Amino acid sequence: MSLVDLPRYEFARPATLDETCAMLAEREAKREKTVLLAGGTDFMVQVSQGKLASDPLPLVVDIGRLDELRGVRLDGSRLRIGAAVTYLELQRDPIVREYAPLVAQMTHDIGGPTIQARGTLGGNLATASPAGDGIAAIAAYDPIIEVQSVRGRRRIPMAELQTGYKATTRAGDELIVAIELPLPAHGAAWCWRKVGTRLAQAISKVALGAVAEVSGGKVGRIGLAIASVGPTTSLLPRTRALVTATPLANLTAATVDAVVAEDVSPIDDVRSTREYRVHTAKAVVRGFLRELGAPV
Amino acid sequence: MKVALKVNGVQRHVDMAPLARLLDALRGPLGLTGTKEGCGEGECGSCAVFLDGVPVNACLVPIGQCDGCEVVTVEGLAAAGHLAPLQACMAEHGGAQCGICTPGMLIAAEALLRRNPDPTPVEVRTAIAGNLCRCTGYERIVQSVLHAAHELRSTEKGAAE
Ligand SMILES: Cc1cc2nc3c(=O)[nH]c(=O)nc-3n(C[C@H](O)[C@H](O)[C@H](O)COP(=O)(O)OP(=O)(O)OC[C@H]3O[C@@H](n4cnc5c(N)ncnc54)[C@H](O)[C@@H]3O)c2cc1C
Ligand code: FES
Ligand code: FES
């Protein structure tokens, strides 16, 4: 499969979510392959690089315009982001900027402006790359990923979504509809820190999304997620446990570094080394904890 | 697939395979070769065009998603045979050498100036961060955009007075 094959694909634009689910189920039953298309920033590259199985050729189904996948809504302390909302729309959305500033900040670090104009969180989650910046940013909020199929709607907690490298618990005929963020207290501390070869158009060597509620020198709720330090987005469970169990003033660099090292399992690859990634993961986590007042 | 789209203000129609790229539609049947292909993978920005008002890489957009959309290419920036100030500044201040990146740079810069008529050098660099140039070293591109911004602001001020 390569660029010259692009014209061979068949293409469908169902008008509603139900129609899309029915189409996916029908094709799944007949064991026919289907690929969903949102912003196309992963799909079109895969096609042109010849990374997509083409025998038989999948049907491409455009979901970018489905109403149910569009828009951002605040319901009390929950922020619901449609899976097909683009990074640019998130960047400009006053509700996202106010209530989930970490998500708004992350969008500036996705590719460049033209990628931000098309790429979506649904596509980032479905591609499920451990380097996905969108995933790392939303994972700090411990979100629920809402998926839908003809069998109905299912809510997958972030911690139960990824099972391995680019593998998830989402079934082949399940569409990602929305991401629901349980928001921390308004004004909670947050940080987004992406480390790559350059500021734009670079895949993360390490990227940290973090939110925390602090009161009286102690951390109540904390969310931490790092991209590119393992086969899946790392949710740093041991680091979270240490930080909520210890008054900030009692944290030390050595204890933090030790748990972070246990929480991540990066590899050497073309973009970076295991050693650099472990070092940087520790550094970005300590950087955030320092902002919270820990002497690390 | 028959696709109707407005290109540089004119209603046009193409009949192409749905997954053919907007880039191929522009450079092929639509006859607009100003938009360039560098990488074909979203990395270089030389294929940038406005799609419904926002700059996108035409190499990553299937034509099947463009039905009913509005596209503005580099050809659409010039008014009636005259270069737009942004284009003129790019030529005058050395922002264009071989010219392959120039159409994409112009789209990215135009997008910036529409939202921010008085950008800082850093804001210009951020706006063109998705556009690669092999020739100029970027400095002259940034200077060209800043000159154009200045010129546009003076014209506007003049018009208001
Ligand atoms: C130049 C360039 C730079 C990039 N930079 C970054 C970066 O800095 N950080 C980063 O994380 N990514 C980056 N990416 C990757 C890409 O832009 C993101 O992963 C983006 O979020 C993909 O979204 P999309 O809507 O374009 O996906 P698409 O290409 O439309 O789809 C990708 C995959 O997801 C599936 N899919 C899409 N939406 C859904 C849904 N709602 N439900 C189920 N499946 C779905 C599709 O079937 C497809 O398999 C970059 C890509 C390019 C080309
Ligand atoms: S040709 Fe489209 S980004 Fe390079
Ligand atoms: S002028 Fe040659 S690539 Fe920019």
Side-chain angles (χ1 to χ4, degrees):
Chain A
M1 177 56 40
S2 73
L3 215 55
V4 293
D5 293 314
L6 265 178
R8 292 173 49 221
Y9 280 90
E10 285 192 60
F11 183 68
R13 290 189 110 178
T16 66
L17 179 56
D18 286 343
E19 203 182 304
T20 312
C21 290
M23 188 182 280
L24 290 180
E26 201 178 298
R27 293 186 59 85
E28 182 98 342
K30 289 195 261 174
R31 295 183 191 280
E32 291 172 333
K33 269 213 54 101
T34 315
V35 180
L36 301 173
L37 179 69
T41 59
D42 275 327
F43 172 80
M44 294 294 277
V45 174
Q46 278 182 323
V47 173
S48 71
Q49 293 183 342
K51 287 190 180 151
L52 215 71
S54 60
D55 196 25
L57 219 57
L59 170 73
V60 178
V61 177
D62 182 16
I63 55 168
R65 298 183 309 175
L66 293 178
D67 279 344
E68 295 90 336
L69 274 63
R70 308 274 319 149
V72 169
R73 204 174 69 218
L74 185 67
D75 280 332
S77 63
R78 296 182 170 265
L79 183 68
R80 198 163 182 285
I81 299 174
V85 176
T86 65
Y87 295 113
L88 182 68
E89 287 164 341
L90 291 171
Q91 203 171 93
R92 292 184 181 167
D93 190 293
I95 295 178
V96 175
R97 291 159 67 127
E98 173 79 18
Y99 293 95
L102 155 54
V103 174
Q105 185 63 40
M106 167 275 294
T107 64
H108 292 278
D109 286 348
I110 299 274
T114 47
I115 300 296
Q116 294 156 21
R118 300 275 299 165
T120 67
L121 283 178
N124 207 238
L125 279 163
T127 295
S129 160
D133 292 317
I135 308 177
I138 57 170
Y141 293 86
D142 294 318
I144 304 276
I145 312 305
E146 264 189 34
V147 299
Q148 183 154 328
S149 67
V150 280
R151 297 178 299 286
R153 202 163 278 203
R154 201 158 69 87
R155 293 164 58 80
I156 312 176
M158 186 66 216
E160 291 166 23
L161 182 73
Q162 297 173 308
T163 53
Y165 180 72
K166 293 195 176 176
T168 72
T169 51
R170 185 172 61 88
D173 64 346
E174 280 180 321
L175 228 101
I176 302 171
V177 176
I179 298 102
E180 187 182 283
L181 307 182
L183 296 175
H186 197 217
W190 62 275
C191 99
W192 169 253
R193 182 86 162 81
K194 171 166 169 171
V195 181
T197 347
R198 60 176 280 231
L199 282 177
Q201 301 286 64
I203 300 175
S204 291
K205 294 174 191 244
V206 164
L208 168 75
V211 294
E213 290 174 0
V214 182
S215 87
K218 277 210 71 172
V219 173
R221 170 178 167 182
I222 188 158
L224 299 168
I226 305 188
S228 296
V229 291
T232 62
T233 309
S234 176
L235 302 179
L236 297 112
R238 296 175 189 85
T239 310
R240 294 178 186 216
L242 171 76
V243 172
T244 45
T246 319
L248 281 168
N250 296 353
L251 285 173
T252 64
T255 51
V256 172
D257 281 354
V259 281
V260 173
E262 278 180 48
D263 272 336
V264 300
S265 52
I267 53 167
D268 291 331
D269 67 12
V270 289
R271 283 193 299 281
S272 189
T273 61
R274 174 186 159 77
E275 193 186 353
Y276 178 80
R277 286 178 161 128
V278 172
H279 171 85
T280 308
K282 291 172 182 172
V284 290
V285 170
R286 273 194 275 116
F288 179 59
L289 295 175
R290 264 198 310 278
E291 283 171 27
L292 303 182
V296 295
Chain B
M1 180 176 175
K2 289 200 163 62
V3 176
L5 67 174
K6 206 177 237 184
V7 184
N8 298 330
V10 180
Q11 190 63 47
R12 306 283 302 263
H13 298 269
V14 290
D15 192 357
M16 293 179 87
L19 265 279
R21 306 170 305 170
L22 171 59
L23 177 63
D24 300 322
L26 291 170
R27 294 184 53 86
L30 294 168
L32 294 165
T33 52
T35 305
K36 304 293 182 235
E37 173 160 12
C39 64
E41 294 180 3
E43 294 282 347
C44 74
S46 63
C47 65
V49 298
F50 283 101
L51 180 65
D52 287 340
V54 293
V56 304
N57 295 325
C59 70
L60 297 184
V61 181
I63 191 75
Q65 283 189 320
C66 297
D67 194 42
C69 292
E70 207 162 308
V71 177
V72 175
T73 68
V74 67
E75 288 91 345
L77 298 183
H82 294 285
L83 289 182
L86 187 56
Q87 293 170 303
C89 282
M90 210 68 142
E92 259 164 53
H93 298 279
Q97 285 185 29
C98 81
I100 290 288
C101 73
T102 313
M105 287 290 178
L106 287 168
I107 296 290
E110 170 74 15
L112 169 71
L113 297 186
R114 280 185 191 177
R115 293 180 59 83
N116 180 357
D118 191 7
T120 63
V122 170
E123 284 168 338
V124 175
R125 284 178 188 276
T126 306
I128 61 167
N131 299 76
L132 300 182
C133 176
R134 284 280 163 118
C135 303
T136 64
Y138 301 100
E139 190 53 41
R140 297 225 167 194
I141 295 177
V142 175
Q143 291 310 322
S144 304
V145 176
L146 292 170
H147 276 293
H150 181 78
E151 204 166 291
L152 286 163
R153 287 197 309 276
S154 336
T155 335
E156 208 142 276
K157 223 165 121 202
E161 273 161 12

